[in-house]
Amino acid sequence: MAINKTAQKTTAKVKDISYYKRKFWRLFFYGFASVFLFFLFASWGLFGAMPSFDDLENPESNLATEIISSDGVTLGKFYNENRTAINYRDLPKSLIDALVSTEDERFYEHSGIDAKRTFGAAVKLGKDGGASTITQQLAKLLFHGEGSKFLPFRMVQKAKEWIIAIRLERQYTKEEIIALYLNQVDFVNGAVGIRSAAKVYFNKEPRDLKIEESAMIVGMLTNPSRFNPNRFPDRTLTRRNIVLGQLVRNNHLEESAKELLVKKPIKLDFHPESHLDGTATYFREYLRDYMKNWVKEHKKPNGEEYDVYGDGLKIYTTLDSKIQEHAEDAVKAHIKNLQEEFFKQQKSNKNAPFISITSAETKKIFDKAMRNSERWRILKAQDMSDEEIIKTFSVKTRMTVFSWDGQKEMTMTPLDSIRYYKHFLQAGLMSMEPQSGQIKAWVGGINYKFFQYDHVGQGARQVGSTFKPFVYATAIEQLGMSPCDVMLDGPFMIRRGRHNVSTNWEPRNSDNRYRGMMTLKKALANSVNVISAKLIDKTGPQAVVDLAHKLGVTSEIPVQPAIALGAVDITVQDMVGAYSTFANEGVYIKPQFISRIEDKNGAIIYEPIPDTHDVLNKDIAFAVIKLLEGVTEGGSGERLRTDGGGSGSNRWTGYPYMFKNAIAGKTGTTQNQSDGWFIGMVPNLVTGVWVGCEDRSARFRSITYGQGATAALPIWGFFMKKCYADKDLQISKDDFIEPEEMSIKVDCGGPSKYSNGTSRRRDSTAVEQEQNTDEFEL
């Protein structure tokens, strides 16, 4: 019996081992099969959509559209996320080494998943951190973000992340994966992607980052908000030094070099990017508005509209960053200078800054300003009545206001702030290359953050005497006149009924004086109103209107003789385009601000064709140029040549200018000094400047400071001084080109003392030479 019991025990024991073996292998294969099927089903998309081959080839990257100047400088961006893609070749070695050393030491050895780190993380239950490779982190950024915190869902997402990482490794090289990853990361403070991060935190391109700067940026990757150098500098410094230690550990940095670097503080050059700040803000907003229509007219091959904020377009503009910078500096310097005088003169004005208007008219201005304000819009959205909203404008509140000495915190009522802002002089400036139509500078106002109305492309203002050259050009073309023809400056009247005038019109000169017989050149130089009126009487207003429209003026122009004195509202953009026709030998080219647009892959998707047509023959255009040269040689623009100031010279910014080269130009001053203009030309750059207050009743009391020669001309003079001093620019100091066999007399008293001594003629030899050398003479 004992033997049988022992045998039974042995048999049972053997049976138990076999049973557990079978059970183990069954569970193993079931588990393996389950894991296999789990990953298989995940790859098929049964647990949620997986990226296709095309998705992997062209991941959704939400790239910012870049606005690029003609000299290759990024002027600004349109974006949902401030992200601009950058190639691997533009990344510094220190950044790549820091990234791999800190985030994924075996990056070049694995195929998307680091098995060793994954196993180690699993054993330690993730207590020492995760095991995500750079490729896995990229997969997460591209296709599912941070993911769910619910464990079952998180497991599914992790599996998908592994699958996507392996596919990414098959699709891209290691270098491309690094570039893709760094282009995707959000570095906070509006910096998405490595290029934005380098710009925002250090104001430089990634390739220019120093080792310690690269280490700081890589250190942020763990948790950009926690290691935000702008908010937590000490914490960020500690993390940066850890990254430097990782560089030593992976033999990318000597210990001695590290010891020197860890002692360095973090030095930020913090430049958060905003559409309210930076260069060419008014132009960028004009371009944004233009692109709204462009995307409707120029669609993708599949028929979809381009997304200006996410498709990573590159808009190559005609603006030159240096010319733009000089223009903005000139506007700022002069308006700040002139503003001091304006405030000074308004101190004794009880209704400042308004001159000669009634209380009812003042109330109308304030009512309009209130209703157009952001405060009104917000309160109206809260269903407040007009009466309730108006009451809030009389309640004192703390606010940040603009001043030329920087933003100021002040306590005032919103109504007082409206009056305060009405004091500020505004300006508009545009520069254009007449031969190509390319706009080189665009300054729409004094500060886009506080004053968003664009005085170049948006605001049409009365042009005053800058309209007179259109009258003179019509007379030369229609009547065969020349700059040297003589007319009488004396009392003159256009009777009621003639040219559709409703009452007798007797124009007077601004100084109420008459000068007797004078040449057309001298008449325009001194902006003599009577001569302009006599000329339009001879040509008829319709002929002048027709010419102005041919010159690109889009405003509606009344067919009345008074337009000869500039009673017309026109934009700076249209005026510069019109004057450029004279400098371009009578050929009008519509001002152009885009040279081409590329998609995110660099393919050209738009290249504009210049809009151009003949307006005047070369002789007439050159005759107008000679008339306009007279303005700067002995007329209202002569201060560009002199070194001795006159009345108000303390407000002539940049004076003395002492230009010795040929300059054609025209000042303009409207009634009551509400608008001051100057349009100046050299052979390859035409620049128009307007200065005035937002409301025409806010103005200088006297013509000393309100005239175009004081309000606008100094901006042009200071701007051109800066351009000429900039050796990177090729702004012409040559004479304007005189046509061969000129048929109109233009030299009324010998050659100008401001010419180079010899007339430049476009003869057959010159043309042949240009064709042979493939150069364009400016």
Side-chain angles (χ1 to χ4, degrees), residues 515 518 521-528 627-642 663 665-667 678 707 709 713 753-754:
R515 296 166 177 78
M518 61 195 316
K521 186 172 183 179
K522 187 174 181 180
L524 185 62
N526 291 281
S527 210
V528 179
L627 281 168
L628 294 171
E629 283 185 349
V631 174
T632 68
E633 291 170 1
S636 57
E638 189 177 16
R639 66 186 57 171
L640 290 170
R641 312 292 192 179
T642 62
I663 297 171
K666 186 70 189 80
T667 57
F678 183 73
Q707 64 178 310
L713 180 144
K753 62 181 177 179
Y754 298 110

Side-chain angles (χ1 to χ4, degrees), residues 139-147 154 157 160-161 164:
K140 181 170 66 175
L141 288 169
L142 285 176
F143 300 109
H144 68 75
E146 284 303 315
R154 182 68 189 133
Q157 288 170 340
K160 291 169 67 176
E161 183 184 302
I164 295 169

Side-chain angles (χ1 to χ4, degrees), residues 68-73 75 316-321 438 440 595:
I68 304 169
S69 69
S70 60
D71 53 332
V73 175
L75 300 174
Y316 289 88
T317 70
T318 61
L319 264 65
D320 184 291
S321 69
Q438 293 187 357
K440 294 300 178 183
S595 57

Side-chain angles (χ1 to χ4, degrees), residues 130-144:
S132 291
T133 62
I134 291 173
T135 317
Q136 286 175 260
Q137 293 178 49
L138 174 61
K140 181 170 66 175
L141 288 169
L142 285 176
F143 300 109
H144 68 75

